[in-house]
Amino acid sequence: MSDLLNTVVSAGTFEGNQELRSRSELTAKEVMREVGAVLRMSEADVALLAEVEADPGEDQTMIINMGPQHPSTHGVLRLMLELKGETVLRCKPIIGYLHTGMEKTGESLTFMQGGTNVTRMDYASPLNNELVFSMATEKLLGIDGDIPERAVWMRMLLSEMNRMSSHLLFMASNGMDIGAVSMMLYGWREREEVLRFFQKVTGLRMNHNFIRPGGVAADLPAGWRDDVLEILEMLGPRLDEYDTLMTGQPIWRERLQGVGVITRDEAIALGATGPILRSTGLAWDLRRDMPYLNYKDVDFDVIVGSYGDAFDRYAIRLAEIRESMRIVRQILGKMPGGDFRIQNKKVTPPPRARIDESMEALIHHFKIFTEGFKVPEGEVYVAIESPRGEIGCYIASDGSATPYRMHVRAPSFVNVQALPHMMRGGLVADAVAVISSVDPVLGEVDR
Amino acid sequence: MTTDVLHDCVLGQSHGQSVLFVPKDRYIATLRKLIDDSYTMCVDLTAVDFLTHPGRTLPEAIAPERFEIVVNLLSMRDRTRLRLRTQVSEADASIDSAFDLYPGTEAMEREVFDMFGITFNGHPDLTRILMPEDWDGHPLRKDYSQGRIPVQFKGSAS
């Protein structure tokens, strides 16, 4: 094994390889890809398009870098834009600046520890990441049907609260990008209230590692119901304020309407999910269409747009906060009592009180946290609806206590690839609005 | 593993999920047929390196190879998912690109190339996507060491 570890496969790649190249260096197909024109068109269509898009000549165009340190790129997204005057002709997102090899790290962490890893991918909705990882692990273990009802409802509660906090963060960053700075402060302020609730429940504002294979880490604290109600009561009027501040406001509409348009077929071809897909008018929400947890038992609407532009994506997220509040209200009425984690000695550590009186419980506790539990050989893909779209977890297990391969299908990673298409023909100033409307979380893009 | 047949490929079940084992030479042709079966969205494309776990469960007709390309398709019409697993050998670590059928796989295939060194024939821009451009090696291969930072203990003899 040791000599295997020293083998380095030469890659044959070179510096500057990923960057946007000038037209003269590209084949026609590569140009078509970078203007985003190769979207399930017949070859005849593509040929037609090639005639329309006359080569603007390199003396008239300019390639500029936007990012990786541009404030509106939400982290370290770098875009290379080919401009003709103020118009974006081509765009190429260059990612990887935040790559920390989390999928590789995941291969050496046990299924018990894996949650701490995946929760750091999409740091704006950590609980959804933990949820999808836990659900994949449970499916491999074959205990996905035995999770206690209270744990399932708690997971739904946390997932929906997380959707609210994530969309509130979008409101803040979207406002900031477009110049509505007061919105930024309001968005952060409301999100903080939700995070305070998370802190009370899980102990941490972010990166909770609270949803674990087998259930959740702890029961809800005393008074949680009042905290949730307080947030719901606070949030309703605040969302109406957002409406007053932004939705009906002419400047806001001018900035967003008709910007970054994508059609339904294009979104499907590019694999875009979440608010981007729904903004094109396709009502596709995994919570409703392929229900997991207990989403079939609650009432909510799937919000769709009609133009596929940045304004639709803004409006969808605003309305989705309201839908999440509606779901949370129903969860409050339905939360059952009982266990918050499965009583399966294989995956659940013994309760704290047992450790004091039983040697076996102590050993069991020690072993489960150091060695983890063995997961049967197999492979499984589980997907749920995160605030950004479909987040999926593919785990291949070889029967040991660590995943043989753990892959997370990150919605932002795929959605970012729709940027060149949405930006084509738009203005540089609108590029900021388009990035913002995709709402990428770079931790998840790069993993 | 109970098996069935779809488009002349072995169709298996894994924890209630449909898995189609597609031979490499019929990969694109099968995808083309599956699009007609309303699998219009390719949600995910990834790979697994089975170097240190060769004895995995596979249907009898499938000969295991070192790499496996895993494609997750989604049919919005039928609300079903289908997973494709294609064996890719170490000696010829390449497969045809699905870019023409699913433009969204562009970035995913680049990621697989970056992480596993599997090349995709016909991909318009096969470059590294997550690692630095001049990086050596493919990190998610099992023969690529995870790397560690040596710990220096204070006051230790060495």
Side-chain angles (χ1 to χ4, degrees), chain A residues 186-216:
Chain A
Y186 298 155
W188 286 105
R189 182 184 67 187
E190 267 73 277
R191 173 175 179 261
E192 204 57 40
E193 298 293 329
V194 183
L195 294 192
R196 200 164 292 144
F197 172 73
F198 286 154
Q199 188 169 23
K200 194 166 178 187
V201 175
T202 71
L204 292 164
R205 292 168 69 250
M206 296 164 82
N207 305 338
H208 315 276
N209 189 23
F210 186 73
I211 298 177
R212 295 179 186 175
V216 293

Side-chain angles (χ1 to χ4, degrees), chain B residues 18-127:
Chain B
S18 307
V19 185
L20 193 64
F21 294 88
V22 185
K24 193 169 113 177
D25 51 342
R26 277 192 282 135
Y27 172 66
I28 293 296
T30 311
L31 280 179
R32 214 178 283 278
K33 285 179 195 155
L34 288 171
I35 288 179
D36 294 338
D37 295 350
S38 86
Y39 286 99
T40 47
M41 191 188 254
C42 175
V43 285
D44 191 26
L45 187 150
T46 185
V48 188
D49 177 6
F50 280 108
L51 179 68
T52 55
H53 177 44
R56 61 192 184 276
T57 313
L58 284 173
E60 278 171 21
I62 308 296
E65 297 282 359
R66 176 173 172 185
F67 297 109
E68 215 171 73
I69 298 282
V70 182
V71 183
N72 276 292
L73 300 178
L74 174 67
S75 161
M76 292 180 160
R77 190 191 69 189
D78 303 339
R79 297 179 184 175
T80 50
R81 290 181 191 278
L82 181 67
R83 187 155 66 244
L84 269 63
R85 286 169 71 181
T86 302
Q87 307 292 324
V88 175
S89 70
E90 186 182 1
D92 177 21
S94 68
I95 191 165
D96 290 333
S97 168
F99 173 72
D100 287 333
L101 302 172
Y102 299 101
T105 57
E106 196 253 347
M108 305 170 194
E109 288 180 350
R110 275 177 74 192
E111 190 190 351
V112 170
F113 165 71
D114 192 357
M115 293 294 154
F116 292 93
I118 300 171
T119 51
F120 290 86
N121 308 323
H123 189 284
D125 175 33
L126 199 63
T127 51

